Amino acid sequence: MVRIRVLVVDDHRIFAESLAAALAAEPDVDVSAAGSGPAALRCLERAASEGRRFDVLLVDADLGATLPGTVRPAVPVRGADEDRVDGISLVTGVRSAQPGVRIVVLAEKDDPRRAALALQAGASGWVAKDCSLNRLLTVIRGVLRDETHLPPALLTGVLRELTAARRHRTESERLVESLTPREREVLRCMVAGLGRKAVAERLFLSPHTVRTHMQNVLGKLGVHSTLAAVALARRAGVGPVDLGLPPGGRIGAEETHSA
């Protein structure tokens, strides 16, 4: 019999243990539980190193909700920060580290926006926490067949959210394409968090020239702050400049002494 290895991730211990016990009663399911995002990542890493990878992750949509508004990268965190990984960040981290793991988000209530974010991050399903065990098992087995599972009542809202996100991305891409190659390079430096002086040193430009480029970037993107420009750039898929490259490594000599 092929057994399904499931990891339940929920910072509400009673719920996690109860769900794990219910799933463990199934003859073809092996189940473990983790009380935080970093703990889940450590479980996944340890299991992979031992050659017994998990198949499905069940993640609490409100993971880390004791810290409202906090969104942190899904990476192992030690000590006092242990619970500071939210559910969506965990989905992103797991899909990046172990793309073979299927992820189902368990939610207290339907939320089209958050469900859409979960799907964009790589989740394969969104299920109500109060659903029946049979329903949850159907979803677990379904995502292992590469199916996507959503409550019917959420489908229209999620499609609307995904369509809006795609439209925003398309508009952001169009705006970024209006930038000159130099302005795009400056934008990538901004995405990397570099200030005007650091950008000037990296690109061998004067601070005055960098300020002009930054003003041009903001104007062409139609935003009024660096933070807004960075957010738009990320929506368009613009990544940060590679800080490992030598400063000015790709800059032509004709701009080296720009005023």
Side-chain angles (χ1 to χ4, degrees), residues 40-57:
L41 288 166
R42 291 194 290 271
C43 284
L44 289 165
E45 185 178 340
R46 184 169 59 249
S49 68
E50 296 172 355
R52 49 186 188 88
R53 293 178 182 271
F54 284 96
D55 301 301
V56 177
L57 208 64

Side-chain angles (χ1 to χ4, degrees), residues 175 178 215-225 228-229 232:
L175 291 170
S178 72
Q215 289 174 342
N216 289 340
V217 167
L218 297 184
K220 290 183 178 180
L221 297 184
V223 296
H224 301 287
S225 70
L232 187 149

Side-chain angles (χ1 to χ4, degrees), residues 182 199-206 246-249 251 255-258:
R182 167 63 79 206
V199 175
E201 291 175 351
R202 179 175 185 82
L203 302 185
F204 295 117
L205 301 174
S206 72
I251 305 306
E255 295 191 32
T256 301
H257 303 292
S258 297

Side-chain angles (χ1 to χ4, degrees), residues 177-197:
E177 287 173 358
S178 72
L179 303 178
T180 65
R182 167 63 79 206
E183 289 164 351
R184 283 197 289 272
E185 191 74 12
V186 169
L187 178 60
R188 294 182 65 221
C189 289
M190 294 163 66
V191 173
L194 301 182
R196 186 189 307 167
K197 182 178 179 181

